Every structure is written in structure tokens, then in C-alpha cells.
Amino acid sequence: FESAPLPPEIVGLIAVGLVIFITLAVLIYRIYYPIYYNNELDRAVEKNRAESYLFLYAMTKGGLGVGRAMEELGRAQETYGMTSDIFNSIVQRSKFSSMNLRDSIVVEARSSENEELSDFLYGIVNTMDTGSTVSDYLESQAKEALEEKRKAQESFFDILDIISETYVILVVVFPIFVLVIQLVSGIIGSLFNRFLLQLIPYLFIPAGG
């Protein structure tokens, strides 16, 4: 018993579908995935960036050089995550290659996906080149980064407040208002929509929840 061959139209549709699927997969892999990956790296760095600046400032204020401070930050990977990995790369490159600490910082600044961190690293290099106090620069950058993070958190909380108020109005106040109007309409013999009255507790409220 031999199965009948597929009609040419079906084979053509399958081939076209495979071509479209493969094309979309390649586009997603070549275009979307690198963007997504870089954005994830940027978010991972941004998560602990301000605290990392504060750590470096505390270390240098305590008497450590900027290289030792970066080395200590690079060891604190469980606390500072991706930011710690970046500074660990700077230290390792300066130790096991022909680069000094300054050149290693420049290389990392050029390759960093986080623009704020890149500017911060260039600032360290400029401070070292001019002979200024690195600790003072770190202090100002830590204060600025912490203030930016505080404002971002306040903005996020404001958005949550707006969302919560909108939710209460739509899912709590509005259904109660409609129920009251419908009940009053039924009592006085005006327009009464039984379907709407049943729709709110059995569909609208569960959907809102």
C-alpha cells in the first residue's frame, strides 16, 4: 500500500511557509537578538551602577589606589553583578596583558554598552591624566548617580500610583456605579439591562482581576 503523493499546490504552500519561517528566524537572530542582548547587558549594568560608584569612592577614600579599588569591586560579583564583571575585566586586562590600567580602562569604556558607565570610565582616565584626586571625582559621580536612581525610582512609583488609581476606578468604582444605576432603574421601572447586570460580576470583574 503506497500513500498518494501530495498535490503540487500543497507542496508549494509548505515550501513557501518554510521559506518565510526560515527568513523570519534569520532576521530575528541577526537583528532583534543582538539588540535584545545589548539592552539586557545595559539593564544589568544600570542595576548596580550607582552603588558601584559608591563602593569605589569608599575604597579610595579609605586609602586604596584606584586599581586596588577596582580589583576589590571585581571580586564582589555576587553583590554588584555585571558591573563587577566589567571592572574585573579592566583589572585582569591590566595584569595579564601589555596594557597598563589607564589603557585598559579606555578599552572598556569604548566597548561598554552603557553610555553612563562609559562616560564614567573616561572621566576616571581624564582625572588620572590631569593628576586630580580620583576620590573627589568618584564622590561627585556617586552622588550624581544615586540622585538619578532616586529620581528614576520616584518616577516609577508615580507611574504605579497612576496605574493603581486607574485600576480602582475601572474595576472597582465603575462596576459598582453601573450596578447601582441598574438596580435603581429596576426599582423605578426604567430601563433595566439584566444582561449587563450579570455581565459585570461574572465577566468584567474576573477579567479585571
Side-chain angles (χ1 to χ4, degrees):
F1 178 76
E2 296 182 359
S3 59
L6 293 175
E9 295 82 1
I10 302 298
V11 175
L13 288 175
I14 294 175
V16 171
L18 287 175
V19 170
I20 294 175
F21 175 78
I22 294 173
T23 302
L24 289 175
V26 171
L27 288 176
I28 291 174
Y29 178 76
R30 296 294 299 273
I31 298 176
Y32 174 75
Y33 180 75
I35 296 175
Y36 171 79
Y37 180 76
N38 291 335
N39 288 338
E40 286 298 309
L41 288 179
D42 181 72
R43 279 192 288 269
V45 171
E46 193 65 28
K47 181 179 179 181
N48 298 310
R49 183 173 60 87
E51 291 79 2
S52 299
Y53 295 176
L54 189 61
F55 180 92
L56 289 175
Y57 164 66
M59 291 292 102
T60 55
K61 191 68 175 179
L64 292 182
V66 63
R68 282 292 310 280
M70 289 184 177
E71 185 175 355
E72 292 298 325
L73 179 57
R75 293 174 180 173
Q77 296 177 348
E78 294 184 1
T79 304
Y80 298 99
M82 181 60 67
T83 310
S84 179
D85 293 339
I86 290 175
F87 284 95
N88 185 56
S89 299
I90 294 174
V91 173
Q92 296 301 317
R93 190 184 297 111
S94 65
K95 282 185 175 181
F96 301 106
S97 70
S98 58
M99 294 183 184
N100 55 25
L101 180 63
R102 179 194 178 282
D103 294 338
S104 181
I105 294 174
V106 171
V107 170
E108 197 64 41
R110 290 173 179 171
S111 61
S112 176
E113 299 294 338
N114 187 282
E115 184 176 353
E116 288 77 11
L117 181 61
S118 178
D119 293 339
F120 172 75
L121 294 176
Y122 280 125
I124 292 179
V125 172
N126 292 334
T127 303
M128 295 169 63
D129 290 343
T130 58
S132 302
T133 305
V134 177
S135 181
D136 293 341
Y137 170 76
L138 294 175
E139 181 182 11
S140 64
Q141 290 298 304
K143 289 181 178 179
E144 181 179 343
L146 289 171
E147 181 65 18
E148 290 176 356
K149 188 170 185 177
R150 184 187 65 81
K151 291 181 179 179
Q153 290 175 342
E154 288 181 352
S155 176
F156 178 70
F157 290 140
D158 290 339
I159 293 174
L160 289 182
D161 286 339
I162 295 173
I163 293 174
S164 63
E165 291 175 1
T166 305
Y167 177 82
V168 170
I169 292 173
L170 292 178
V171 182
V172 179
V173 177
F174 176 73
I176 293 176
F177 175 76
V178 174
L179 289 174
V180 171
I181 293 297
Q182 287 297 306
L183 291 175
V184 172
S185 299
I187 292 173
I188 65 177
S190 183
L191 293 176
F192 178 75
N193 192 327
R194 183 180 297 274
F195 175 74
L196 179 61
L197 195 64
Q198 294 176 344
L199 187 67
I200 290 176
Y202 292 111
L203 180 61
F204 186 81
I205 293 178

